[in-house]
């Protein structure tokens, strides 16, 4: 087996790569030609930077079907967005929370922290064998004191697309705030906060949105900001004669200098998606995911996790190979074929517990991106097939 010269990157659920050329160009232009902070000066470059940040904010709002761009808050990453939503709402209010076993640690750990401190109680709704949550189970978990329902739009382990619109409708009917973790969906498929009935929606900027690392966003439904306190305070470039954090959006939740290089790159990533068309991005993802599922399912010893068809999931496929540790399989794929995946628990221990893969060290996850090709998928399938055949011959 010879080592290919070109890497095959199939870890887009962790962060997308490569980025569109427009993203690299936007970041470099900011760094080399502008370099000013946003909202901190009245000179030409500072004003231009502020305009670029607001353009990125408008682009994100349009992507989500949000009328007022000020309802989009820029954050450090998806984890930061979820922490702002969870701690900003529950640190003082407390109450009961309903979530699911499909969640990432970015939801599970803040909730666990609040539980340990006696601030909240929480229930995790189970999923079926395909990793899907039943909205009726969410309904049964609700209590009179339930303040928040927090659900991932799609699992980062199984790729399963959850029935978030139905769950959001339930939350709306009960007057319960609904938080959607769109880390694996925003940028791969159309996402509307109105259709999902989302009060809060969190996402990183560096995955499906194709921006740089260190970027994220949080959508806050109008009116929710009256209940959502800021978790950090500091300079905003506005109301500087007052030592209290502003209540206006987005300043209330954006203290300190923004990651302008990242946000400028994020804006370029969103514009790229707009030009491509999210329906086309989604079609490409479904087509390649189905090809990957079909190819892997044909290999003896392979177990696939999650929904049986690509239409029921995002471009994430987790698998295990009988008799092979997931870390060893991922290492073999990289060293022998330059196929790069993610092995392990994927920061989602409850999901792996539900799948029965936690004690065995998790799974190997393939995650496709906008730049992935059919040839790369075929190479990944061929690599697993060769390794499986070699193990069977031992």
């Amino acid at each position: 087996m010879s080592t290919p010269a070109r890497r095959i990157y199939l870890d887009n659920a962790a962060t997308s790569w490569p980025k569109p050329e427009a993203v690299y160009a936007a970041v470099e232009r900011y760094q080399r030609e502008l370099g000013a902070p946003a909202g901190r000066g009245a000179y030409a470059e500072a004003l231009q930077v502020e305009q670029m940040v607001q353009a990125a904010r408008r682009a994100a709002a349009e992507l989500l079907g949000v009328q007022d761009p000020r309802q989009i808050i820029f954050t450090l990453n998806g984890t930061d967005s979820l922490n702002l939503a969870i701690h900003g709402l529950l640190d003082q209010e407390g109450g009961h929370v309903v979530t699911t076993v499909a969640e990432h640690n970015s939801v599970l750990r803040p909730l666990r922290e609040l539980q340990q401190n006696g601030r909240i109680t929480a229930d995790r709704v189970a999923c079926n064998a395909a990793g899907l949550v039943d909205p009726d189970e969410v309904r049964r978990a609700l209590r009179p004191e339930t303040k928040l329902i927090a659900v991932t739009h799609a699992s980062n382990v199984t790729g399963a697309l959850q029935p978030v619109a139905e769950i959001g409708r339930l939350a709306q009917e009960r007057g319960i705030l609904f938080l959607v973790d769109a880390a694996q969906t925003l940028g791969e498929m159309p996402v509307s906060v109105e259709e999902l009935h989302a009060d809060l929606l969190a996402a990183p900027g560096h995955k499906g949105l194709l921006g740089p690392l260190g970027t994220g966003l949080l959508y806050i439904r109008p009116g929710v900001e009256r209940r959502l306190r800021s978790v950090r305070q500091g300079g905003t470039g506005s109301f500087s004669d007052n030592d209290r954090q502003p209540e206006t959006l987005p300043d209330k939740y954006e203290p300190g200098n923004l990651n302008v290089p990242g946000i400028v790159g994020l804006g370029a990533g969103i514009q790229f998606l707009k030009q491509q068309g999210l329906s086309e991005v989604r079609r490409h993802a479904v087509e390649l995911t189905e090809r990957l599922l079909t190819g892997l399912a044909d290999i003896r010893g392979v177990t696939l996790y999650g929904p049986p068809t690509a239409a029921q999931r995002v471009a994430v496929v987790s698998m295990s190979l009988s008799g092979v540790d997931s870390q060893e399989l991922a290492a073999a794929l990289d060293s022998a074929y330059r196929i790069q995946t993610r092995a392990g628990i994927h920061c989602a221990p409850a999901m792996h517990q539900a799948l029965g893969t936690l004690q065995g060290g998790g799974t190997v996850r393939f995650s496709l991106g906008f730049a992935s090709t059919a040839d790369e998928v075929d190479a990944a399938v061929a690599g697993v097939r060769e390794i499986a055949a070699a193990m069977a011959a031992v």
Side-chain angles (χ1 to χ4, degrees):
M1 294 181 293
S2 60
T3 302
R6 184 176 67 88
R7 68 193 287 209
I8 297 176
Y9 183 82
L10 299 178
D11 194 21
N12 288 276
T15 193
S16 55
W17 186 88
K19 310 293 184 182
E21 285 299 321
V23 173
Y24 301 131
V27 174
E28 183 172 15
R29 177 173 177 264
Y30 168 78
Q31 295 282 44
R32 292 187 180 278
E33 299 178 20
L34 299 173
R40 299 298 196 277
Y43 49 92
E45 284 77 8
L47 293 175
Q48 186 175 352
V49 166
E50 177 65 17
Q51 291 170 358
M52 295 168 74
V53 168
Q54 298 313 322
R57 200 185 303 275
R58 287 193 301 273
E62 291 171 5
L63 198 68
L64 288 165
V66 174
Q67 297 298 314
D68 187 350
R70 293 176 298 178
Q71 305 300 139
I72 301 295
I73 308 303
F74 287 128
T75 63
L76 304 176
N77 44 51
T79 298
D80 190 45
S81 299
L82 290 164
N83 271 263
L84 170 55
I86 293 169
H87 284 290
L89 176 67
L90 298 172
D91 276 358
Q92 293 181 347
E93 287 195 14
H96 176 248
V97 179
V98 174
T99 188
T100 81
V101 299
E103 307 309 309
H104 190 275
N105 273 337
S106 297
V107 168
L108 298 181
R109 285 178 173 176
L111 292 178
R112 177 64 69 192
E113 177 76 12
L114 289 166
Q115 283 181 277
Q116 290 177 336
N117 292 337
R119 306 298 297 177
I120 67 166
T121 57
D123 287 304
R124 296 178 186 173
V125 174
C127 64
N128 63 18
L132 292 165
V133 172
D134 184 347
D136 285 337
E137 291 296 321
V138 175
R139 180 182 290 106
R140 284 189 278 272
L142 298 178
R143 304 179 189 174
E145 67 271 23
T146 302
K147 292 287 183 68
L148 180 69
I149 301 173
V151 178
T152 186
H153 196 178
S155 167
N156 73 318
V157 177
T158 66
L161 282 163
Q162 303 297 351
V164 287
E166 191 173 345
I167 296 171
R169 191 178 304 111
L170 169 65
Q172 189 177 64
E173 291 169 354
R174 301 293 183 90
I176 299 168
L177 291 180
F178 183 42
L179 167 62
V180 176
D181 176 2
Q184 298 299 332
T185 54
L186 191 56
E188 180 179 317
M189 61 193 301
V191 176
S192 164
V193 293
E194 182 177 353
E195 291 178 4
L196 299 184
H197 308 284
D199 298 295
L200 298 153
L201 183 142
H206 64 94
K207 296 186 182 184
L209 294 181
L210 308 178
L213 282 161
T215 56
L217 61 84
L218 178 68
Y219 160 74
I220 304 172
R221 180 177 60 77
V224 174
E225 71 273 10
R226 291 194 290 270
R227 293 177 59 182
L228 187 72
R229 72 178 187 89
S230 60
V231 296
R232 293 194 302 270
Q233 297 78 40
T236 59
S238 61
F239 304 98
S240 296
D241 57 342
N242 193 323
D243 66 359
R244 296 179 183 273
Q245 190 70 12
E247 290 295 317
T248 55
L249 298 184
D251 294 1
K252 180 176 180 179
Y253 306 107
E254 292 183 353
N257 274 296
L258 293 171
N259 174 14
V260 176
I263 292 171
V264 167
L266 173 59
I270 296 174
Q271 288 300 328
F272 174 85
L273 291 170
K274 182 179 179 181
Q275 292 164 6
Q276 297 294 304
L278 280 178
S279 60
E280 175 59 24
V281 173
R282 176 61 178 161
R283 184 202 63 76
H284 178 71
V286 169
E287 181 179 288
L288 290 189
T289 303
E290 195 65 49
R291 190 183 189 101
L292 179 59
L293 286 169
T294 301
L296 291 174
D298 193 44
I299 301 172
R300 179 174 296 183
V302 165
T303 299
L304 295 172
Y305 302 92
T309 69
Q312 298 171 285
R313 59 165 83 207
V314 290
V316 169
V317 176
S318 278
M319 58 147 289
S320 59
L321 180 60
S322 179
V324 182
D325 177 81
S326 64
Q327 298 289 348
E328 292 178 357
L329 176 56
L333 286 168
D334 183 33
S335 62
Y337 307 96
R338 289 284 280 159
I339 296 166
Q340 299 173 342
T341 62
R342 169 85 183 275
I345 307 302
H346 311 102
C347 300
M351 186 73 257
H352 280 281
Q353 181 73 54
L355 295 173
T357 54
L358 182 64
Q359 298 304 317
T363 59
V364 174
R365 183 185 71 188
F366 299 81
S367 50
L368 312 173
F370 85 96
S372 298
T373 67
D375 286 345
E376 290 178 333
V377 169
D378 292 346
V381 171
V384 174
R385 181 177 288 111
E386 286 190 23
I387 293 170
M391 292 300 300
V394 173

